[in-house]
Amino acid sequence: MFENISVDISEGVAILTINRPKQLNALNKQTIEELNLTLKDIEENNEVGVVILTGSEDKAFVAGADIKEFADFTIPQGGALAQKGQDLLFNLVEHYPKPVIAAVNGFALGGGLELAMSAHIRIASKNAKMGLPEVSLGVIPGYGGTQRLAQLVGKGKANELIFTAGMISSEEALRCGLVNEVVEQDMLMETALKMASKIMRNSPMAIRSAIKAVNAGYTSGLNGFQVEIEEFAKCFGTEDFKEGTSAFLEKRKANFRK
Ligand code: DAK
């Protein structure tokens, strides 16, 4: 159905694969739009509890924004595309109400690392290489990279990675907190699926609230503690809360709806 992505939904997990291997899965406008449409569709799909984002083949997750597309941009075009891209994809992923795991299977550079950083959790294969090389092209990260990298690894390390335009190994990414876990490449999807299945044992409504509360602390104008109180209170009115507490008291496993 789509030209640049494939979607595979099974057992509550939607695997979205960016599928432009000849361009190392570089993100062009069309791919961003296809991801946007698919994510919006999946948001309404009660059969899906977790989304996994990955890249096709074993060389790249996403090797950046498609350089051919922005090579001759003007200042207004750059600003418009950055805004549109952030709205259509990167902010959508960060605030997505279902957990999004990035399975980083190779190069995650520029816009590719920015996409992985928008996800809630990152698992990388050993061969993955990550970096924000934008300044080597005369631009800065435009899809939230200056903000999200600093949030994940701290300002000093983010500055180093951005200013040097260098790439780091998956092991270094693990050490600095950029990824949650590193595994052999042939274990990557299995590990992501295992994590998805652990997540799906829990209340989707509570997880949705947790996503809102955690993100609020990183959103200017919002007080994360206050949002936590509000979301905490809302939980007491949910079916999931009734099911979770009843299951505990009845000494059985909770059976939450997706
Ligand atoms: N865009 C387009 N094509 C790409 C690409 C990219 N980002 N990365 C790789 N490719 C293409 C190559 O051109 C090559 O195509 P052909 O020449 O075969 O037609 C093919 O993928 C295979 O790549 P290589 O031959 O280069 O493969 P190698 O193994 O030698 O090297 C590499 C792998 C990942 C080290 C190398 O491909 C590389 O350095 N790629 C570029 C990495 C990079 O600089 N990425 C862009 C970062 S900047 C914006 C918002 C955000 C951004 C921009 C604008 N606006 C809102 C306007 C973000 C910018 C970035 O992401």
Side-chain angles (χ1 to χ4, degrees), residues 45-255:
N45 183 343
N46 290 335
E47 294 305 308
V48 175
V50 173
V51 174
I52 297 176
L53 286 176
T54 195
S56 63
E57 303 191 356
D58 55 7
K59 187 167 172 183
F61 172 71
V62 171
D66 193 318
I67 296 172
K68 290 177 196 104
E69 242 180 23
F70 64 85
D72 53 5
F73 267 20
T74 59
I75 293 174
Q77 283 174 316
L81 191 77
Q83 185 65 56
K84 194 170 175 205
Q86 294 202 15
D87 292 344
L88 284 182
L89 183 59
F90 300 81
N91 292 343
L92 179 69
V93 169
E94 179 164 38
H95 297 286
Y96 204 63
K98 306 178 189 206
V100 181
I101 299 172
V104 181
N105 56 313
F107 289 111
L109 302 173
L113 181 57
E114 290 174 300
L115 178 60
M117 290 193 295
S118 307
H120 303 121
I121 292 166
R122 283 152 293 285
I123 303 173
S125 57
K126 275 198 174 153
N127 66 316
K129 288 221 159 72
M130 282 157 263
L132 292 178
E134 282 86 343
V135 298
S136 72
L137 299 167
V139 289
I140 65 166
Y143 287 140
T146 60
Q147 305 306 300
R148 294 194 182 100
L149 185 60
Q151 288 166 4
L152 286 165
V153 305
K155 194 171 162 188
K157 188 71 184 173
N159 283 339
E160 177 194 326
L161 284 171
I162 293 167
F163 301 169
T164 61
M167 284 185 216
I168 58 172
S169 66
S170 54
E171 293 300 337
E172 192 177 346
L174 182 64
R175 273 197 298 278
C176 69
L178 182 52
V179 299
N180 298 62
E181 197 173 343
V182 175
V183 295
E184 296 292 341
Q185 181 141 41
D186 59 0
M187 292 299 292
L188 181 63
M189 199 42 72
E190 195 178 322
T191 309
L193 286 168
K194 251 191 207 155
M195 191 178 291
S197 108
K198 268 193 193 168
I199 291 171
M200 286 191 301
R201 284 181 217 147
N202 302 313
S203 153
M205 289 175 171
I207 289 173
R208 178 186 288 236
S209 285
I211 290 171
K212 272 195 195 165
V214 171
N215 282 343
Y218 295 91
T219 308
S220 79
L222 286 182
N223 178 329
F225 288 99
Q226 191 53 42
V227 173
E228 183 184 274
I229 290 168
E230 288 157 16
E231 291 300 320
F232 177 75
K234 276 191 210 160
C235 294
F236 291 88
T238 63
E239 287 300 315
D240 282 7
F241 175 68
K242 280 187 208 136
E243 169 59 15
T245 45
S246 314
F248 178 80
L249 295 172
E250 292 161 17
K251 299 192 186 303
R252 62 174 174 83
K253 273 192 185 163
N255 184 14

